Amino acid sequence: MAEAAARVLRVLGTGGTIAGRAASAHDAVGYQAGVLPVHALLEGLPRPAGWTVQARQVFNIDSKDMSAGHWRALLDEVDAALAEPAVGAVLVTHGTDTLEETAWLLQAALAPAKPVVLTGAMRPASALAPDGPQNLMDALVLATDERLQAGGGVWVTLAGRVFDAASVRKVHPMRLDAFAGGDAGPVAWVEGGQVRWLAGLPVQPPVAVARLAPQQWQRAPWPRVEWITSHAGADGALVRALLLQHRAAQSGAVAEAPLRGLVVAGTGNGAVHAALAEALGQAQAEGVEVWLTTRCAEGRVVVADSGGRAAQRWNVCPLPPAKARVALLLHLLQRDATG
Ligand code: SIN
């Protein structure tokens, strides 16, 4: 009987602390992220049975510097990998700082039928006790898990916990278990090389996602979408400054992309300071799309049928601010493509 061909697990390296190095093994803070190649991270790790692991370096950066260009390159790589019949899963090593944004970008733009798993680390590879190798081992297990093979989707694992792409957020700057899933919590644990699921799959994203065509994300430049926060004393000066830039860009006086979208992280249940709200109204009048979410760490804005305190003037997004910004970007890319 012919042996079944091994499925391919494509590991894409993008940098981060997991690929970071410091001058001393005792330094877990003053290091440089995105130094080691992804091949080096995989050295010595056990491979899942029945799988061939293939690694590719897409780029190697500190994820704070993630740009639309990096995202376009990553979307191209992940999309191409998923389209290969031999590839059963994709794993992305990524800096933790913007990992939640990339996770949502991949979920919303690709809605992948095969699993895509992201992982990173809180300590550099050169640390005395790095967390990267364990996280990467867990990610190999998760990406090849039978349940995920059936369900696909984008997932994140760090410190033995598994989160869905919509819920995951970085909630701590230092702890090894720096990520949380808010109200959803972790959906699974990776323990001793096995995945213990806590939630039924698939997890439904809180917003409808329409897969993008490659030509849609390959358009450059991407629309300018900024994210601002309402707070005590928010007087709208930031919005007015953005509108000055917007007008200058539109008239060609500056070679920058005009402002197309604004995500506002409101206080509490999406409340916005009256002075900021006035400036946002001006932005809308000048064609800027305004979306509202909450700056609260958990929950989402609830709009009562009867109206009430939450602003009714803006599209309310159920995602946290960083992901709402990605969602608005993708919305504008789609709208531009369809005219
Ligand atoms: C980064 O996001 O690239 C640096 C921080 C980290 O990975 O923890």
Side-chain angles (χ1 to χ4, degrees):
M1 206 166 59
E3 262 185 54
R7 281 173 290 176
V8 171
L9 172 51
R10 179 74 44 81
V11 182
L12 300 174
T14 71
T17 295
I18 192 168
R21 278 193 81 90
S24 145
H26 301 281
D27 190 352
V29 179
Y31 58 88
Q32 188 183 342
V35 176
L36 295 176
V38 64
H39 294 90
L41 308 185
L42 287 160
E43 261 165 35
L45 298 189
R47 306 304 201 237
W51 288 80
T52 300
V53 173
Q54 293 176 350
R56 275 175 66 82
Q57 194 76 47
V58 188
F59 41 81
N60 208 356
I61 61 163
D62 187 321
S63 81
K64 72 179 173 57
D65 297 325
M66 194 65 68
S67 67
H70 292 111
W71 272 349
R72 278 195 293 273
L74 185 60
L75 281 166
D76 282 344
E77 282 282 348
V78 175
D79 190 49
L82 293 172
E84 286 180 40
V87 171
V90 174
L91 196 168
V92 181
T93 58
H94 198 289
T96 62
D97 280 358
T98 59
L99 187 147
E100 69 203 63
E101 293 169 57
T102 300
W104 179 247
L105 174 88
L106 295 174
Q107 176 64 55
L110 302 178
K114 297 175 186 176
V116 176
V117 171
L118 285 85
T119 195
M122 294 300 291
R123 291 184 186 149
S126 54
L128 212 47
D131 53 330
Q134 184 63 53
N135 287 343
L136 194 45
M137 247 158 56
D138 289 350
L140 292 168
V141 168
L142 180 65
T144 55
D145 176 70
E146 284 308 322
R147 220 159 144 182
L148 273 204
Q149 284 298 301
V154 178
W155 307 87
V156 171
T157 183
L158 262 98
R161 304 195 294 173
V162 180
F163 304 98
D164 69 272
S167 307
V168 69
R169 284 177 89 171
K170 186 171 183 179
V171 295
H172 201 279
M174 286 305 296
R175 276 194 336 232
L176 301 192
D177 60 341
F179 284 77
D183 302 331
V187 292
W189 296 85
V190 188
E191 298 163 329
Q194 287 176 13
V195 186
R196 179 162 61 92
W197 289 98
L198 305 174
L201 297 184
V203 173
Q204 290 304 330
V207 287
V209 291
R211 197 193 186 288
L212 254 60
Q215 314 84 268
Q216 291 176 315
W217 72 68
Q218 283 159 0
R219 287 164 73 109
W222 280 10
R224 175 187 293 278
V225 177
E226 301 289 350
W227 150 26
I228 58 167
T229 303
S230 189
H231 50 81
D235 63 0
L238 267 182
V239 176
R240 287 189 291 278
L242 282 167
L243 286 177
L244 286 180
Q245 180 273 349
H246 174 67
R247 290 173 206 135
Q250 276 190 319
S251 71
V254 293
E256 289 173 3
L259 182 68
R260 298 281 310 283
L262 260 178
V263 167
V264 187
T267 46
N269 192 29
V272 177
H273 193 295
L276 175 57
E278 196 180 322
L280 290 171
Q282 181 59 37
Q284 268 181 317
E286 296 190 33
V288 177
E289 177 110 10
V290 179
W291 281 18
L292 178 70
T293 182
T294 174
R295 69 181 210 185
C296 290
E298 294 185 10
R300 62 172 74 171
V301 174
V302 176
V303 184
D305 292 342
S306 56
R309 201 162 163 267
Q312 304 283 332
R313 300 157 53 184
W314 304 295
N315 180 42
V316 172
C317 182
L319 294 163
K323 284 185 226 199
R325 184 181 162 274
V326 174
L328 179 48
L329 254 174
L330 296 180
H331 168 78
L332 292 170
L333 279 175
Q334 242 156 6
R335 203 168 69 185
D336 290 351
T338 51

